[in-house]
Amino acid sequence: MCGITGYVGHKNAGPILIEGLKRLEYRGYDSSGVGVIDLSTGHIIVRKTKGKIRNLEELIQQQNLPVSRIGISHTRWATHGAPNHVNSHPHADSAKKFLVVHNGIIENYEVLREELQHQGSVFVSETDTEVIPHLIASLYQGDFLDAVRQAIVRLQGSFAIGVLCADHPDTLIAARVGSPLIIGVGKEENFIASDVPAILDRTKRIIYLNDGEIARLTCDNVEIMKFSGAAVRPKIHTVKFSVDAVKKQGFAHFMLKEIHEQPEVLERILKSYLKQEEVNFPELNLSPGQLKGFERIGIIACGTAYHAGLVGKYAIEQLAGIPVFVDAASEFRYRDPILDEKTLLIAISQSGETADTLAAGREAQARGAKVIAVCNVVGSSLVRESHGVIYTHAGPEIGVASTKAYVAQVAVMFLLALKLSRNSGRTVPAQRESIIAQLRQAPAAYKKILAAKNQIAQIARKNSHFGCFLFLGRHINYPTALEGALKLKEISYIPAEGYAAGEMKHGPIALIDEYRAVVCVAPQSEIYEKMISNMQEIRARKGKIIAVATQGDAAIKKHSSHVIYIPATHNILTPLLTVLPLQMLAYFIAVQLGCDVDQPRNLAKSVTVE
Ligand code: G6P
């Protein structure tokens, strides 16, 4: 969702701020803006507009952005008020002394707005954000930091903000509660941003601002304190990945690049966590005794991560014999869940900043459960708030539709199931060894499926005209069907439904005719024959079938219009492989339809508001 960047230093701020915004485009947005303090006049100058960042660049070509040494910029994902240039950030107070960019939602903005209007503030936008500069202005008596501090303690909701003041052209102030914000520490220049990619080509030295902290940045100093004023000694992290990780490197889209990175992601995960035949999670922060003591596991997540959680349920229950429930985090947080200290709660999140997942994790902790994050982003809110973490090591994921992060989450779920299975008596060592041996083959299997790219692209071309897709899978590949449908609808906007194949006759069968395509995930498994029966029922109703099956299964061809093969693997590991053809199918269909694959309409990479 909304992206923030800010700069203070000796260089011209405008181009740096626009460049930073481009690196945050993946977050999803519908308007953008930039504000600077004009070096020659000391005035605040703002340029903002609806639509893509290139629109903002065109505007700046027409209406010049003055040279400056300090500024803030923003991509807005509309919540309060339409995506137009008035509602875009930055927002200013009536006297244009303060300028604010904001990510999050101010829940008490109506009360504040009324109060400020009574005091004479004139509001121009429909946004909740606009109360912030007016509030700061109403509290300002010459001390910039103090006015911001007094203002933010009156805000309810979630926010990450960057603030400028025309009286203090050398100072940038930032603060956060509940929305992500990082500080980049450079040489005689400092930055703020919603995420690391925005500033990766400027500095790799990062401070993760915590909730309830405020930062004062000048070109040669970063000072951090609590809202109370107590000083905080910041920890500077050095980011390991290179700037190439956030570039397309010759691929047409980030999504395609990330699909191709999956073999190396799997290799990295296996190398990190599999030592000979033992699974070791170094940052789990749970002793073997503690791990043995859990009687129940809860998994909470949103979107794609939720589907990885569902795979985790099948794997953990089957291998370790521990009961698992999986909830969408947005449901869990309000359903008065029954938890205790015997429950291990696993929160899965690529970004570690999803508002519902964070809230669900807090709810679980408040009820006595231990929370372990399965997360891709070092230093993210979820990681910092959890008892322990298993990193998914997928590297930065820029495409809004998650691919490599999902595969990494699924791989981690299998490793966790294997670890928990050691104490369960449900599997014998030989079974575990066989699964581990097959898991080690997964990167090579990925390369084989990727080599069938042209065939999958051709299937996509032949089927992109269908107005509706049904994805069916059973057992541990039921989540694969859900994920395949989600990928397709996210990036191609074709209505797509994922269903448990056994449920087909309870509703979705009514959809089937010659105008629908049905993707059947049918690898080798205990319930393969049942999948075949479903396929026959679809064919009898003239549905067009695209099957995902195990290499060597020639028989499936007679039930399907197209077959995409995956290499043979252990039954339980099939979801790791079956999802790849579905990612590729969704990608090539979206390309065929001319869709904006990396930034699908209305979607945000990281949903930081509820
Ligand atoms: C958004 C993204 C999805 C993602 C979900 C959860 O909806 O578009 O790709 O799966 O959020 O995000 P998280 O960062 O918590 O995994």
Side-chain angles (χ1 to χ4, degrees):
M1 288 186 153
C2 302
I4 290 175
T5 71
Y7 174 78
V8 54
H10 298 297
K11 298 181 187 135
N12 187 16
I16 295 172
L17 294 166
I18 301 288
E19 205 44 50
L21 285 189
K22 285 185 184 165
R23 296 266 155 79
L24 292 179
E25 276 194 296
Y26 69 89
R27 296 173 71 81
Y29 70 104
D30 35 47
S31 58
S32 63
V34 58
V36 297
I37 299 180
D38 186 334
L39 187 61
S40 53
T41 66
H43 293 150
I44 276 179
I45 306 291
V46 173
R47 302 282 179 256
K48 51 190 189 173
T49 187
K50 189 182 159 179
K52 294 284 180 191
I53 293 169
R54 61 175 173 271
N55 301 359
L56 182 63
E57 289 180 299
E58 278 166 20
L59 181 74
I60 290 170
Q61 268 172 14
Q62 292 156 17
Q63 297 181 7
N64 180 42
L65 190 65
V67 171
S68 62
R69 300 288 176 250
I70 187 166
I72 48 182
S73 62
H74 189 265
T75 46
R76 173 173 185 256
W77 189 91
T79 57
H80 296 63
N84 58 33
H85 94 274
V86 179
N87 290 330
S88 317
H89 300 210
H91 288 284
D93 61 312
S94 307
K96 302 233 169 339
K97 188 180 289 251
F98 295 95
L99 200 61
V100 171
V101 285
H102 165 223
N103 174 16
I105 289 183
I106 306 303
E107 287 165 0
N108 59 338
Y109 84 101
E110 280 175 333
V111 179
L112 292 171
R113 189 176 167 122
E114 216 167 286
E115 181 187 313
L116 290 158
Q117 276 170 333
H118 276 121
Q119 292 170 22
S121 295
V122 178
F123 284 77
V124 295
S125 78
E126 300 159 84
T127 63
D128 53 337
T129 303
E130 200 186 344
V131 297
I132 306 174
H134 287 288
L135 185 60
I136 297 170
S138 75
L139 297 163
Y140 179 65
Q141 290 181 334
D143 185 334
F144 180 20
L145 180 69
D146 192 53
V148 176
R149 205 165 44 209
Q150 284 187 57
I152 53 184
V153 294
R154 295 210 49 208
L155 304 177
Q156 286 166 16
S158 66
F159 57 85
I161 55 170
V163 192
L164 296 184
C165 174
D167 288 353
H168 300 268
D170 57 349
T171 306
L172 169 59
I173 291 185
R176 71 160 278 181
V177 172
S179 298
L181 201 69
I182 58 145
I183 293 168
V185 182
K187 278 203 185 106
E188 298 189 342
E189 57 182 1
N190 290 305
F191 308 83
I192 60 168
S194 294
D195 201 357
V196 176
I199 54 174
L200 201 55
D201 53 354
R202 307 261 163 205
T203 180
K204 291 191 167 192
R205 301 177 71 224
I206 306 292
I207 298 168
Y208 297 94
L209 205 61
N210 287 305
D211 277 351
E213 287 178 357
I214 183 166
R216 175 162 56 190
L217 287 74
T218 57
C219 62
D220 48 18
N221 195 29
V222 175
E223 219 182 321
I224 298 185
M225 57 229 99
K226 301 257 181 224
F227 288 178
S228 62
V232 173
R233 186 191 286 182
K235 189 169 168 208
I236 301 180
H237 300 254
T238 303
V239 175
K240 294 210 181 78
F241 48 83
S242 81
V243 81
D244 281 350
V246 294
K247 292 187 175 160
K248 283 192 206 151
Q249 294 179 294
F251 285 92
H253 297 97
F254 278 110
M255 184 177 175
L256 189 61
K257 174 188 169 228
E258 287 158 7
I259 285 173
H260 279 82
E261 282 171 355
Q262 292 178 136
E264 86 190 60
V265 169
L266 286 169
E267 267 160 22
R268 205 177 306 141
I269 289 175
L270 297 176
K271 198 166 157 224
S272 305
Y273 298 135
L274 212 47
K275 306 283 174 247
Q276 273 108 32
E277 303 306 296
E278 289 294 328
V279 177
N280 177 33
F281 296 125
E283 287 160 283
L284 193 60
N285 199 16
L286 291 171
S287 67
Q290 280 176 306
L291 211 51
K292 248 188 192 170
F294 293 114
E295 290 174 358
R296 218 155 65 111
I297 291 178
I299 302 180
I300 49 146
C302 298
T304 287
Y306 170 74
H307 298 154
L310 289 175
V311 176
K313 173 184 165 73
Y314 283 93
I316 295 168
E317 288 190 342
Q318 192 161 324
L319 295 179
I322 304 171
V324 181
F325 68 84
V326 188
D327 268 6
S330 53
E331 287 298 314
F332 175 88
R333 61 184 289 195
Y334 293 117
R335 78 162 167 87
D336 198 8
I338 299 160
L339 306 173
D340 56 24
E341 68 285 353
K342 299 255 185 246
T343 310
L344 174 64
L345 195 103
I346 297 167
I348 309 178
S349 173
Q350 188 282 128
S351 63
E353 300 294 349
T354 301
D356 282 321
T357 309
L358 290 172
R362 289 176 200 136
E363 184 65 34
Q365 271 174 359
R367 288 168 188 252
K370 283 252 179 327
V371 175
I372 298 296
V374 171
C375 190
N376 198 33
V377 179
V378 177
S380 60
S381 301
L382 183 66
V383 169
R384 282 176 293 150
E385 292 180 19
S386 299
H387 180 81
V389 56
I390 307 174
Y391 283 113
T392 43
H393 294 310
E397 191 179 62
I398 307 293
V400 165
S402 181
T403 52
K404 62 175 180 169
Y406 173 77
V407 164
Q409 289 160 353
V410 169
V412 161
M413 286 294 110
F414 282 123
L415 290 172
L416 182 63
L418 284 163
K419 185 168 181 66
L420 293 167
S421 75
R422 283 196 73 81
N423 307 318
S424 74
R426 251 175 106 97
T427 51
V428 295
Q431 278 171 307
R432 282 198 297 274
E433 279 159 26
S434 146
I435 296 171
I436 288 172
Q438 292 294 322
L439 209 44
R440 291 193 191 280
Q441 296 303 314
Y446 258 69
K447 287 178 191 157
K448 281 194 186 141
I449 302 169
L450 285 169
K453 185 158 115 182
N454 293 342
Q455 183 221 353
I456 298 174
Q458 200 182 19
I459 296 173
R461 275 194 295 276
K462 284 189 177 156
N463 292 280
S464 60
H465 63 283
F466 282 103
C468 169
F469 274 72
L470 188 60
F471 286 73
L472 298 177
R474 271 179 182 257
H475 192 252
I476 201 161
N477 277 294
Y478 162 47
T480 313
L482 296 178
E483 177 60 9
L486 179 66
K487 283 293 84 86
L488 185 66
K489 76 182 117 186
E490 279 181 318
I491 60 171
S492 75
Y493 319 137
I494 298 175
E497 194 159 6
Y499 236 83
E503 283 285 291
M504 184 180 80
K505 290 200 257 318
H506 302 291
I509 198 164
L511 294 174
I512 295 168
D513 60 19
E514 66 265 46
Y515 305 110
R516 324 284 156 163
V518 186
V519 178
C520 293
V521 187
Q524 71 196 20
S525 75
E526 301 84 353
I527 40 78
Y528 171 79
E529 295 302 336
K530 297 193 188 300
M531 230 16 250
I532 296 294
S533 304
N534 289 130
M535 290 167 71
Q536 279 164 339
E537 289 155 4
I538 297 162
R539 271 201 353 131
R541 287 158 185 83
K542 300 201 175 90
K544 179 98 171 230
I545 294 181
I546 302 168
V548 175
T550 303
Q551 192 69 50
D553 178 1
I556 202 162
K557 284 186 183 158
K558 64 174 182 286
H559 305 297
S560 333
S561 303
H562 308 279
V563 183
I564 307 169
Y565 286 111
I566 58 157
T569 187
H570 193 286
N571 289 359
I572 204 168
L573 296 178
T574 52
L576 202 52
L577 306 189
T578 49
V579 74
L580 175 56
L582 304 194
Q583 294 170 344
M584 293 163 82
L585 195 64
Y587 172 78
F588 288 118
I589 290 177
V591 169
Q592 176 71 16
L593 296 177
C595 297
D596 188 349
V597 172
D598 283 335
Q599 292 161 39
R601 69 184 181 204
N602 302 338
L603 292 179
K605 180 77 187 152
S606 173
V607 179
T608 52
V609 296
E610 190 174 349

